C-alpha cells in the first residue's frame, strides 16, 4: 500500500466536513467513538472497505461493525425484532453492537459482512462520531484503527503510531471514554453474548428479563467480529491455484494472464480490487454453476491483501462436513 499523507483533523465543523468528504470519495478516516478509535470507510463501497483490510494488514476477512447515526438508519440496513428494538432503545447510542439479519436491499458491500446474511451494527455515543455520520450521510464500516494484532487505540496519537502513511486522515476527538470495544449480542434465536465489552452483561440481561446464552456458538461460521474468522463456502466445489481449468469448470481469474476466465478478480493484478470483488464474484459464480459444476480459482499472490484473499479461498475450498 503506497504511503499517504495522513492528515490530523480538528474536532470542529471544518474537520468534520473534511473527514466526510474523504469518506465520500472512498478514503479511510479514523474517528473517535466512546469505546476506541475506529477506522472508517463507506460501508457501501467494497473497494473502500478492502482498503481497511489493506491498511490494517488484516490477514482474514472477518465481519466488520457498521456504525450509523440513529436507530432509523439502522433499520434501513438490518431487520429488527421486538427484542432487538428494545435493546437498541435501551442502550443506543452506546457501546452495544447487535448482530441482525441484513436487509436484501441495504446496499452494504459484501466484504463488510464477510459474505454472510447478517450484519453487526451499532449507534456510537461519541458526539463527534455521530456528527461525522450525519455529515457523510453513509453508514461507516469501522474496526479498531490499529494494525492487525496490535492494541486498540484510544487516542489519535495511538492511531498515528500504527497507521500514519496508510490512511487518509484521523479526526482527533481526544481520549475515548470507555477504552474497550463494544459488547456484541447475537439475536438469531435466543439472545447470545458474542463478545463482552463496554455494556455490562448484567445490564443487558436486566433489560431482556432473561439470561444471555454465553455458550460457544454451535457453528464454525461466526457472524460477528471478535470470534474466529467466518468463511463463505459456495455450494459449488472450489479448486485452488488453477492456471488451466478443466473442461466445464467456471474459472475465477486473477491478473492479465487469465484470458477466457468466467470472472476475473482483477485483470490488472491489483489485490485491493481483487479483495473488493471476492465475495460478489464467488456468489456470482455459485449462481452460474449448474449441478456438479465446480469453480476453479487462479493463483493469487500470498502477500499483502493476498493473504486475506487466500485465507478466505482456502475456507471456501475446504471439505464440507457430512
Amino acid at each position: 500500500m503506497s504511503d499517504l499523507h495522513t492528515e490530523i483533523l480538528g474536532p470542529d465543523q471544518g474537520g468534520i466536513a473534511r473527514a466526510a468528504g474523504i469518506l465520500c470519495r472512498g478514503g479511510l478516516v479514523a474517528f473517535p467513538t466512546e469505546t476506541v478509535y475506529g477506522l472508517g470507510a463507506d460501508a457501501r463501497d467494497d473497494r473502500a472497505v478492502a482498503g481497511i483490510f489493506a491498511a490494517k494488514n488484516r490477514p482474514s476477512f472477518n465481519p466488520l461493525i457498521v456504525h450509523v447515526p440513529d436507530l432509523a438508519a439502522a433499520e434501513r440496513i438490518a431487520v429488527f425484532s421486538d427484542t432487538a428494538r428494545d435493546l437498541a432503545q435501551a442502550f443506543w447510542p452506546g457501546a452495544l453492537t447487535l448482530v441482525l439479519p441484513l436487509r436484501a436491499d441495504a446496499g452494504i458491500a459484501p466484504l463488510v459482512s464477510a459474505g454472510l446474511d447478517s450484519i453487526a451494527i451499532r449507534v456510537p455515543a461519541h458526539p463527534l462520531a455521530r456528527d461525522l455520520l450525519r455529515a457523510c450521510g453513509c453508514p461507516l464500516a469501522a474496526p479498531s484503527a490499529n494494525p492487525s494484532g496490535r492494541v486498540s487505540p484510544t487516542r489519535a496519537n495511538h492511531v498515528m503510531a500504527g497507521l500514519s502513511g496508510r490512511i487518509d486522515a484521523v479526526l482527533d476527538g481526544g481520549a475515548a471514554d470507555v477504552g474497550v470495544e463494544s459488547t456484541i449480542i447475537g439475536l438469531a434465536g435466543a439472545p447470545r453474548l458474542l463478545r463482552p465489552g463496554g455494556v455490562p452483561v448484567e445490564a443487558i440481561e436486566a433489560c431482556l428479563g432473561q439470561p444471555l446464552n454465553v455458550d460457544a456458538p454451535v457453528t464454525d461460521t461466526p457472524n460477528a467480529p471478535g470470534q474466529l474468522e467466518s468463511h463463505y463456502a459456495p455450494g459449488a466445489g472450489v479448486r485452488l491455484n488453477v492456471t488451466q481449468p478443466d473442461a466445464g469448470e467456471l474459472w475465477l481469474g486473477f491478473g492479465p494472464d487469465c484470458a477466457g476466465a468466467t470472472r476475473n478478480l482483477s485483470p490488472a493484478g491489483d489485490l485491493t480490487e481483487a479483495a473488493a470483488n471476492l465475495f460478489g464474484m464467488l456468489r456470482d459464480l455459485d449462481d452460474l454453476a449448474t449441478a456438479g459444476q465446480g469453480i476453479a480459482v487462479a493463483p493469487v499472490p500470498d502477500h499483502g491483501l493476498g493473504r486475506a484473499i487466500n485465507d478466505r479461498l482456502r475456507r471456501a475450498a475446504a471439505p464440507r462436513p457430512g
Side-chain angles (χ1 to χ4, degrees):
M1 187 172 183
S2 59
D3 281 351
L4 299 169
H5 170 64
T6 302
E7 300 178 56
I8 300 179
L9 305 174
D12 52 24
Q13 289 306 310
I16 292 167
R18 174 66 177 156
I22 291 169
L23 290 163
C24 290
R25 293 192 296 273
L28 302 180
V29 176
F31 64 96
T33 77
E34 72 281 15
T35 57
V36 299
Y37 273 70
L39 180 55
D42 184 344
R44 306 166 302 182
D45 182 341
D46 246 328
R47 190 176 179 97
V49 175
I52 291 176
F53 291 92
K56 286 174 63 72
N57 196 25
R58 193 162 179 161
S60 56
F61 296 131
N62 46 323
L64 303 178
I65 296 173
V66 172
H67 296 67
V68 293
D70 50 45
L71 176 56
E75 293 207 66
R76 291 193 288 270
I77 293 170
V79 178
F80 276 71
S81 63
D82 289 342
T83 298
R85 197 169 291 106
D86 288 344
L87 288 173
Q89 289 171 342
F91 297 106
W92 283 357
L96 178 69
T97 294
L98 300 177
V99 179
L100 301 168
L102 177 64
R103 290 192 181 276
D105 60 353
I108 298 298
L111 202 54
V112 173
S113 62
L116 300 171
D117 295 324
S118 58
I119 194 75
I121 195 164
R122 84 176 183 101
V123 176
H126 198 294
L128 195 56
R130 298 178 73 199
D131 286 346
L132 177 61
L133 286 161
R134 285 189 286 262
C136 68
C138 65
L140 295 180
S144 57
N146 55 283
S148 185
R150 302 289 182 86
V151 177
S152 295
T154 56
R155 296 178 181 271
N157 65 307
H158 298 165
V159 179
M160 291 295 288
L163 297 178
S164 180
R166 302 183 67 83
I167 65 176
D168 295 281
V170 181
L171 186 60
D172 188 351
D177 293 332
V178 177
V180 295
E181 287 86 351
S182 60
T183 303
I184 302 179
I185 302 296
L187 291 170
R192 180 185 297 275
L193 177 68
L194 299 179
R195 183 182 75 184
V199 175
V201 168
E202 294 82 358
I204 296 168
E205 290 178 334
C207 177
L208 292 172
Q210 66 180 88
L212 288 168
N213 187 339
V214 294
D215 295 338
V218 296
T219 171
D220 65 351
T221 310
N223 54 7
Q227 302 178 293
L228 293 174
E229 290 79 6
S230 64
H231 64 270
Y232 169 65
V238 176
R239 196 162 67 92
L240 303 182
N241 299 313
V242 177
T243 55
Q244 186 62 46
D246 292 341
E249 279 186 310
L250 300 173
W251 192 24
L252 181 59
F254 174 83
D257 299 325
C258 294
T262 316
R263 297 288 184 273
N264 194 317
L265 291 168
S266 174
D270 182 322
L271 288 170
T272 301
E273 180 182 23
N277 287 331
L278 178 62
F279 289 109
M281 287 190 176
L282 277 176
R283 284 186 178 273
D284 194 15
L285 291 176
D286 201 23
D287 289 342
L288 289 174
T290 57
Q293 189 174 30
I295 300 170
V297 183
V300 175
D302 201 39
H303 61 77
L305 274 184
R307 291 185 300 145
I309 294 167
N310 284 319
D311 170 85
R312 195 46 39 111
L313 288 171
R314 282 191 292 270
R315 294 172 188 276
R320 315 294 165 78

